[in-house]
């Protein structure tokens, strides 16, 4: 088993940011125990070592130490688990976060500190001018209010492209010949009735039929089951396919008793995110600080890794980079 340094750095960074969110926004973020059910004896020490490494990487930021429990205790904590061949489970602690309310909190805080917030607004053109050295550089953007249709010209010394899966769309406004760097993927979720999971315990399957991870979590009085890394195209209204929904339903049937039926799906949704393609053409798991880089026009900075868990860190490094000139 090889050590992936980049993956290690990404996990360590994410755990640090998890602790920060729990500290600064306890009304929106909170610890959640998550169970890994074990149905083969040899998996018990294997998963236990893996989860303990997770605790170790978190260091002082570890929420609470993980632990193994018996079959009886696992069924007591998660009554809907299939008990046939169950040998026990491992419980570890992670964080659950209300990202929609956090978005609103960030916008309101920025407004209070003097920022102008514009929602439902699309960049339609990047503006340019010649600098003192005679070279062309970006100086602002023309944006369109998608609700009213009004177009607004915004002047700026620096343009930050932190648009997630739409990063390449903005980059091509700068230069149509620009090579794409984004590989969009979609997280697929279905919402089930609350009785499928306890209020204070999640479930994780790290060993699905196609290698992806399935999670099963309590959320806002319901249960959310979902997975990540489904390839997709960039769209404003992502939606899972019937195959995506059936994949989740089939996988959760391996763990739950009784089986989940199609008619019990309350809602389904998709969320488009993105990976970044490295210079070699491979999908990169992480980048250095220099997740922030300059465009050819010098006045644009694009954040190449802008996942929720990294946004505060990336902004911090971006401001340092701009202050340094």
């Amino acid at each position: 088993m090889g050590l992936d340094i980049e993956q290690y750095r990404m996990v360590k960074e994410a755990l640090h940011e998890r602790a920060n969110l729990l500290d600064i926004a306890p009304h929106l973020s909170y610890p959640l125990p998550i169970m890994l059910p074990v149905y083969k004896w040899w998996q018990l020490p294997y998963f236990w070592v893996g989860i303990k490494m997770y605790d170790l990487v978190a260091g002082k930021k570890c929420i609470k130490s993980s632990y193994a429990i018996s079959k009886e205790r696992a069924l007591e904590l998660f009554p809907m688990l299939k008990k046939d061949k169950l040998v026990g489970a491992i419980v570890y602690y992670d964080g659950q976060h209300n990202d929609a309310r956090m978005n609103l909190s960030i916008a309101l805080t920025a407004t209070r500190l003097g920022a102008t917030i514009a929602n439902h607004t699309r960049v339609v053109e990047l503006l340019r001018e010649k600098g003192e050295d005679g070279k062309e550089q970006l100086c602002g953007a023309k944006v369109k209010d998608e609700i009213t249709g009004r177009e607004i010209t915004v002047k700026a010394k620096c343009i930050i492209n932190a648009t997630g899966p739409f990063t390449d769309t903005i980059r091509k406004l700068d230069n149509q010949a620009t090579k794409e760097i984004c590989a969009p993927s979609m997280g697929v979720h279905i919402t089930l009735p609350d009785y499928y999971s306890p209020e204070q315990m999640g479930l994780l399957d790290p060993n699905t039929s196609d290698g992806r991870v399935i999670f099963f979590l309590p959320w806002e009085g319901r249960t959310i089951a979902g997975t990540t890394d489904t390839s997709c195209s960039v769209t404003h209204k992502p939606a899972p396919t019937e195959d995506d929904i059936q994949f989740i339903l089939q996988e959760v049937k391996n763990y739950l008793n009784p089986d989940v039926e199609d008619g019990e799906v309350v809602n389904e949704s998709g969320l488009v995110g993105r990976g970044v393609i490295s210079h070699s053409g491979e999908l990169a798991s992480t980048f250095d600080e220099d997740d922030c880089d300059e465009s050819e026009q010098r006045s644009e900075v694009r954040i190449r890794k802008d996942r929720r868990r990294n946004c505060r860190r990336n902004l911090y490094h971006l401001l340092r980079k701009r202050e340094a000139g």
Side-chain angles (χ1 to χ4, degrees):
M1 183 182 295
L3 177 62
D4 188 332
I5 296 297
E6 296 298 334
Q7 194 74 17
Y8 167 80
R9 290 172 58 194
M10 183 181 72
V11 171
K12 187 175 180 66
E13 174 190 309
L15 291 173
H16 177 82
E17 292 303 314
R18 178 189 70 182
N20 182 65
L21 280 173
L22 291 170
D23 181 51
I24 67 173
H27 60 302
L28 300 177
S29 309
Y30 44 87
L32 179 72
I34 298 177
M35 181 185 297
L36 276 75
V38 179
Y39 287 87
K40 296 178 181 178
W41 281 107
W42 67 266
Q43 290 180 332
L44 198 58
Y46 177 79
F47 287 150
W48 184 84
V49 170
I51 292 299
K52 282 298 177 184
M53 290 300 295
Y54 193 65
D55 291 348
L56 184 64
V57 172
K60 294 181 179 179
K61 305 294 185 180
C62 181
I63 298 173
K64 186 176 180 180
S65 183
S66 56
Y67 55 90
I69 56 177
S70 66
K71 171 182 177 179
E72 292 73 22
R73 181 60 174 156
L75 291 171
E76 181 182 341
L77 292 172
F78 211 110
M80 300 296 283
L81 269 182
K82 279 189 175 178
K83 61 182 180 180
D84 295 342
K85 298 183 180 180
L86 181 67
V87 299
I90 297 169
V91 177
Y92 76 99
Y93 283 76
D94 217 328
Q96 194 166 46
H97 176 65
N98 192 322
D99 56 347
R101 287 187 60 197
M102 177 58 86
N103 279 342
L104 182 59
S105 294
I106 291 172
L108 291 173
T109 302
T111 301
R112 191 174 72 241
L113 296 175
T116 299
I117 304 297
N119 199 15
H120 295 287
T121 305
R122 178 169 57 92
V123 177
V124 294
E125 182 183 350
L126 295 177
L127 306 177
R128 298 170 178 79
E129 66 180 8
K130 287 189 176 180
E132 295 179 357
D133 57 2
K135 293 183 178 179
E136 193 174 61
Q137 62 184 28
L138 296 173
C139 64
K142 183 177 291 185
V143 300
K144 180 180 180 180
D145 185 324
E146 293 290 282
I147 297 176
T148 65
R150 177 189 175 200
E151 290 194 355
I152 307 167
T153 298
V154 181
K155 304 294 286 185
K157 294 181 180 179
C158 175
I159 299 172
I160 300 171
N161 182 4
T163 53
F166 296 95
T167 296
D168 284 332
T169 303
I170 303 299
R171 294 175 67 241
K172 286 182 180 293
L173 289 176
D174 185 10
N175 181 357
Q176 277 293 328
T178 296
K179 186 177 180 181
E180 294 186 355
I181 62 171
C182 291
S185 63
M186 180 169 61
V188 177
H189 317 105
I190 60 173
T191 306
L192 301 170
D194 60 344
Y195 51 75
Y196 274 107
S197 67
E199 289 184 8
Q200 298 297 325
M201 179 69 69
L203 188 74
L204 182 73
D205 175 12
N207 190 29
T208 62
S209 57
D210 69 356
R212 287 183 289 172
V213 170
I214 287 280
F215 56 83
F216 206 76
L217 306 171
W219 181 253
E220 299 291 329
R222 301 281 189 175
T223 298
I224 288 181
T227 187
T228 58
D229 299 330
T230 299
S231 296
C232 67
S233 57
V234 178
T235 173
H236 286 278
K237 296 181 179 180
T241 65
E242 183 61 27
D243 287 344
D244 292 329
I245 296 171
Q246 290 304 317
F247 170 77
I248 295 172
L249 291 175
Q250 290 302 317
E251 291 297 329
V252 299
K253 284 179 181 180
N254 295 329
Y255 292 92
L256 299 184
N257 185 29
D259 290 344
V260 181
E261 302 297 334
D262 291 22
E264 294 181 288
V265 177
V266 178
N267 186 35
E268 62 270 347
S269 61
L271 176 66
V272 178
R274 65 170 174 86
V276 181
I277 303 172
S278 67
H279 297 299
S280 64
E282 299 294 328
L283 188 63
S285 60
T286 184
F287 276 84
D288 295 67
E289 159 176 346
D290 321 285
D291 301 325
C292 308
D293 62 5
E294 303 277 354
S295 77
E296 295 83 353
Q297 299 293 341
R298 296 180 303 158
S299 295
E300 178 197 358
V301 178
R302 53 182 178 266
I303 299 182
R304 301 189 292 183
K305 184 177 65 177
D306 56 352
R307 296 174 181 173
R308 170 71 55 193
R309 61 176 175 246
N310 306 111
C311 62
R312 186 201 62 83
R313 169 191 177 273
N314 280 343
L315 179 58
Y316 170 75
H317 287 304
L318 171 60
L319 293 176
R320 284 183 58 191
K321 192 181 185 82
R322 298 310 299 175
E323 287 173 357

